[in-house]
């Protein structure tokens, strides 16, 4: 497995990893039509709009296939230049529990350390127990902030010191 910064040709594959992973964990909780609409938005974001933002897209590749991705950047709440936000870590479900998410996570933390980021934040869907467990096992803790999503969805913010 290789973890590297994405090239322009990786963006569509990263979008598909994001879509298949999120559709798997939202299954049974979110309307399929809503997932389809969001999939179209995600494809456009990764392939057409990502470059408008100060974000870094990382890819995990096995045998030439993108099987995981992570997206980092400045905090969306403007918490300061020393705070980074982990926007996404997604791994194709057929590669779950192979250490790919952990490798992507480690890469993001290493890049933040090099950039002088001292605090990381992320948001996690409150019903995604798998993601919450993953992040908590890697040192992330709830910081008391949350925001409502659509319908009854809630997102919790987690925080981690980068050392």
């Amino acid at each position: 497995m290789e973890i590297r910064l994405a090239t322009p040709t990786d963006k569509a594959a990263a979008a598909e990893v994001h879509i298949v992973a999120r559709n798997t964990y939202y299954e049974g909780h979110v309307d399929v039509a809503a997932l389809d609409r969001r999939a179209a938005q995600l494809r456009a974001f990764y392939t057409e709009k990502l470059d408008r933002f100060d974000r870094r897209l990382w890819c995990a590749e096995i045998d030439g296939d993108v099987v995981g991705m992570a997206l980092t950047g400045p905090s969306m709440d403007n918490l300061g230049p020393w705070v980074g936000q982990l926007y996404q870590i997604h791994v194709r479900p057929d590669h779950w529990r192979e250490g790919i998410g952990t490798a992507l996570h480690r890469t993001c933390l290493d890049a933040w350390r090099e950039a002088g980021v001292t605090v990381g934040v992320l948001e996690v869907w409150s019903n995604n127990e798998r993601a919450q467990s993953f992040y908590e096992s890697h040192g992330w803790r709830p910081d008391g902030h949350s925001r409502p999503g659509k319908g009854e969805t809630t997102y919790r913010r987690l925080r981690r010191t980068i050392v």
Side-chain angles (χ1 to χ4, degrees), residues 28-39:
H29 298 281
V30 177
D31 177 63
V32 172
L35 290 175
D36 289 344
R37 283 191 302 277
R38 183 65 178 140

Side-chain angles (χ1 to χ4, degrees), residues 9 16 18 23-24 30 33 37 45-46 55 57 64 67 69 87 92-93 101 104 117 122 126 130 140 148 157:
T9 59
E16 294 309 313
H18 184 157
N23 285 1
T24 300
V30 177
R37 283 191 302 277
F45 172 77
Y46 281 98
R55 298 187 184 168
L57 178 62
V67 297
M69 53 77 65
Y87 289 94
R92 278 190 355 213
L104 284 162
V117 171
L122 62 84
S126 60
R130 169 184 265 277
W140 296 82
R157 190 167 71 194

Side-chain angles (χ1 to χ4, degrees), residues 39-107:
Q41 293 167 345
L42 288 169
R43 286 183 184 102
F45 172 77
Y46 281 98
T47 59
E48 300 166 14
K49 300 176 184 171
L50 180 61
D51 294 333
R52 297 181 190 172
F53 301 95
D54 182 19
R55 298 187 184 168
R56 296 177 89 183
L57 178 62
W58 301 91
C59 289
E61 184 179 81
I62 296 176
D63 297 329
D65 290 328
V66 174
V67 297
M69 53 77 65
L71 184 63
T72 62
S75 66
M76 66 182 181
D77 292 332
N78 261 343
L79 299 175
W82 59 91
V83 179
Q85 181 143 353
L86 177 56
Y87 289 94
Q88 313 287 338
I89 290 182
H90 292 293
V91 176
R92 278 190 355 213
D94 60 329
H95 285 279
W96 283 354
R97 308 219 34 94
E98 295 178 8
I100 296 166
T102 295
L104 284 162
H105 181 263
R106 185 179 324 110
T107 298

Side-chain angles (χ1 to χ4, degrees), residues 140-157:
W140 296 82
R141 299 292 177 258
D143 71 358
H145 290 87
S146 63
R147 69 172 176 85
K150 293 182 180 178
E152 296 182 28
T153 303
T154 301
Y155 294 92
R156 297 173 48 204
R157 190 167 71 194

